[in-house]
Amino acid sequence: MADKEPNTYGKPLASGETLWSWQPTSRDTKNKCPMAYTALGTDFAQAMVKAQDLNAALYQWRKDRRANRDEVSHAKGTFGWLLTEFEKYGLVDASDKYKDEVARYVRIAGELKLKGGKAFIHQDLEKVTVKAAQNCVIKIKETRGGSTAKKARAIFSAAWAEGFRLNEATVPETNPWSHVKLSHKEQETFAASYDQLQSYVSAAIAMGEIGMAVAARLCWDMHIRPTEVFRSVMWSSYRPEHKPHHFLAGHEKRDTGGWQPMDDPEDLKEGRVTPLFTELEDLLRMMPQKGALICMREERQGTKIIPGSWLPIKNSSTISRRIRAKAGLPDEVTLKSFRHGGITELGESGAETSLIQARTAHRQRASLDRYDHTNDRKSASAQKLRLA
C-alpha cells in the first residue's frame, strides 16, 4: 500500500468505497493560489499518483511566488535587513516547506510595532535588546497563540545566528532571541487505568456504541490520537492482503507511524499465529464493515436508531460523555486519557524508551515524557534502591 500523499484526504461513500481528494492548504488559498480542490477518484494508488503531480505543481507555485515576491528594501543593519539576508543566503539547503514557514514569520515580524509606533523591522540590530525581543514574542503570543510565538522566537534566533556568521561586522554577537523566555504550561492529561478502559468498553457495547468501544481500544493499543481514530483509520489498514499480520497505525500530526505487527513475529517464523491484540480484534470482529472507516455508528434520529444506515462518528465527545455517565466513570476519563493510559502501561511494563517510541512514533523523548505517567513509580523505585 502506497503512503498517503500530503494535502489528500478520504471521504467514505455510501457504496462503501472511499473518495480521495486533494486540496491546497488554507494558507495557499489566502495567498491566491490558482490551484483548487480536486477529486482524485476511489482507486487509492491512482489517486496518490495524481496527488504527486498536484503537489509538484503546488510546490513549484510556492517556489515561484517566493522568487517573484516584491522585495522591500531595508536599511543595512536593521532587523528587516537581517531577515531578508536570512531568506536569501541562510536557506540554501532548506526544504520548500521551511522556506515557506520562514516567509510567513517574516510577514509576522512586519506587523510588530515599537512603543512609538515604529515598525520593529526598522529597528537597528544594536538596539534590539532581550527585553525588546521578549515584548515582541509576548505580542505574538497574545495575538496568534503560544505555538506561533515559540516558532517565531526560534526562526528569529536562527536568522540572528546566521546573520552573525555571514556579517560579523554588522550583526552583534549577542543573540537577544536566544535569551527570550516563553512561559508555557503543558496541560497534564489524565492517564486512564485498564479497569476504566474495560468499564468504558462494556458500557459502550451495552449502549450499542461499538464504534466508540473500538475507538477506545485503538487509542489504548495503537496509541492513535482520538481525532485521527475517527478520521483516517480505515479497514484497508487492518490486515490487508499484502500485509496480513499487520495494522497501519498512522499519526497525521507528525506524518509518522507505520505498520504494527498484530501477530508474534517469532511464532510466525515457526508457522504459528499468536495474536498480540486479542481484545482489540474481538471488538473489530463485532464491528460491521459498513464503509471505509472502521469507527462508525448507526444513524440516529433523536433516540431512534435507523437500522442499516451507518455514518462516520462526528460528535464523539458527546457520545463519550454519555458512555462515561453510564459506566460511572469520572470526567477525566476520555479517549485521550486512554491513549495516555496505554502509553503509561508500556512504561509500567518496563519497556525501554526506544521500544515505546517505536510503538508511539514520538520523535523526541521530551514529547514522550508528557504521555508516560510512570515518573512517580520510577522515582519511588530509585529511592527504594537507594535505601536498600
Side-chain angles (χ1 to χ4, degrees):
M1 182 178 179
D3 293 335
K4 189 166 76 70
E5 284 290 310
N7 306 313
T8 61
Y9 62 92
K11 180 180 180 181
L13 301 176
S15 63
E17 296 180 299
T18 300
L19 173 63
W20 293 97
S21 302
W22 179 93
Q23 191 167 18
T25 67
S26 58
R27 189 182 305 167
D28 291 320
T29 302
K30 289 178 181 177
N31 289 329
K32 299 181 180 180
C33 176
M35 305 179 71
Y37 165 86
T38 304
L40 304 176
T42 56
D43 184 285
F44 179 81
Q46 293 182 9
M48 294 305 107
V49 171
K50 295 177 183 177
Q52 285 180 347
D53 294 337
L54 289 167
N55 281 327
L58 176 64
Y59 299 153
Q60 184 61 48
W61 173 81
R62 290 176 179 174
K63 184 177 180 180
D64 294 341
R65 180 175 176 275
R66 284 195 303 269
N68 297 327
R69 192 173 68 224
D70 293 332
E71 293 188 5
V72 178
S73 178
H74 296 289
K76 186 174 182 178
T78 62
F79 187 61
W81 167 83
L82 176 73
L83 295 178
T84 301
E85 291 291 292
F86 184 54
E87 285 193 284
K88 285 182 179 179
Y89 308 112
L91 303 176
V92 177
D93 298 324
S95 66
D96 286 342
K97 181 178 180 181
Y98 185 65
K99 290 177 181 177
D100 285 334
E101 196 167 35
V102 171
R104 179 191 174 212
Y105 282 89
V106 170
R107 291 193 294 274
I108 291 175
E111 300 170 2
L112 298 172
K113 303 289 183 182
L114 296 169
K115 285 186 178 180
K118 177 182 176 182
F120 187 77
I121 55 174
H122 298 322
Q123 181 77 314
D124 291 337
L125 293 175
E126 59 185 18
K127 295 181 180 179
V128 178
T129 63
V130 174
K131 183 178 180 180
Q134 181 79 57
N135 289 337
C136 288
V137 171
I138 291 174
K139 288 178 183 178
I140 295 174
K141 182 180 180 181
E142 291 173 348
T143 57
R144 296 176 177 267
S147 296
T148 302
K150 186 177 181 181
K151 190 68 177 180
R153 177 187 59 180
I155 288 178
F156 297 161
S157 179
W160 194 287
E162 185 68 7
F164 174 73
R165 188 181 72 83
L166 298 173
N167 301 275
E168 291 186 25
T170 306
V171 181
E173 182 176 3
T174 302
N175 186 341
W177 301 99
S178 64
H179 297 284
V180 168
K181 295 186 181 298
L182 183 63
S183 60
H184 175 64
K185 184 178 180 181
E186 190 70 38
Q187 185 176 2
E188 181 72 11
T189 299
F190 177 75
S193 68
Y194 182 75
D195 288 341
Q196 289 172 329
L197 171 69
Q198 291 287 68
S199 298
Y200 184 97
V201 168
S202 297
I205 293 174
M207 295 171 65
E209 298 288 358
I210 182 62
M212 294 295 294
V214 172
R217 290 269 8 166
L218 286 171
C219 291
W220 181 279
D221 291 316
M222 294 297 161
H223 319 301
I224 302 174
R225 292 177 176 82
T227 53
E228 297 171 11
V229 161
F230 301 111
R231 184 174 59 213
S232 57
V233 180
M234 309 277 185
W235 283 109
S236 58
S237 300
Y238 174 59
R239 293 185 180 275
E241 290 185 8
H242 68 292
K243 273 190 170 294
H245 303 290
H246 289 78
F247 182 92
L248 180 58
H251 299 280
E252 296 176 6
K253 184 178 179 180
R254 294 286 182 265
D255 194 22
T256 57
W259 292 99
Q260 297 289 352
M262 298 299 291
D263 302 313
D264 189 331
E266 297 302 319
D267 285 354
L268 287 175
K269 293 178 182 178
E270 300 178 6
R272 300 192 307 272
V273 178
T274 305
L276 297 173
F277 300 93
T278 55
E279 293 168 306
L280 170 60
E281 295 201 86
D282 285 344
L283 288 176
L284 287 171
R285 282 189 282 271
M286 294 172 61
M287 184 76 219
Q289 296 190 31
K290 296 295 184 179
L293 291 171
I294 289 181
C295 296
M296 301 179 72
R297 73 191 296 247
E298 286 187 289
E299 182 180 359
R300 265 77 165 172
Q301 290 183 357
T303 58
K304 182 181 178 182
I305 297 177
I306 311 300
S309 178
W310 289 75
L311 300 172
I313 298 175
K314 299 293 186 182
N315 54 338
S316 60
S317 297
T318 301
I319 302 170
S320 188
R321 186 166 58 248
R322 294 170 186 161
I323 296 172
R324 188 169 59 235
K326 182 175 179 62
L329 295 170
D331 293 343
E332 292 83 1
V333 176
T334 61
L335 291 177
K336 188 176 181 180
S337 75
F338 291 138
R339 181 169 185 252
H340 281 248
I343 296 175
T344 298
E345 187 185 52
L346 284 178
E348 293 283 2
S349 69
E352 296 179 3
T353 301
S354 58
L355 296 178
I356 299 177
Q357 284 182 275
R359 292 282 308 160
T360 65
H362 282 101
R363 293 175 179 171
Q364 298 182 3
R365 170 65 186 270
S367 299
L368 178 60
D369 285 343
R370 295 200 296 269
Y371 291 83
D372 181 2
H373 297 254
T374 59
N375 288 335
D376 286 349
R377 179 188 64 80
K378 292 174 181 175
S379 178
S381 297
Q383 177 63 6
K384 287 179 181 178
L385 289 172
R386 179 178 177 226
L387 292 174

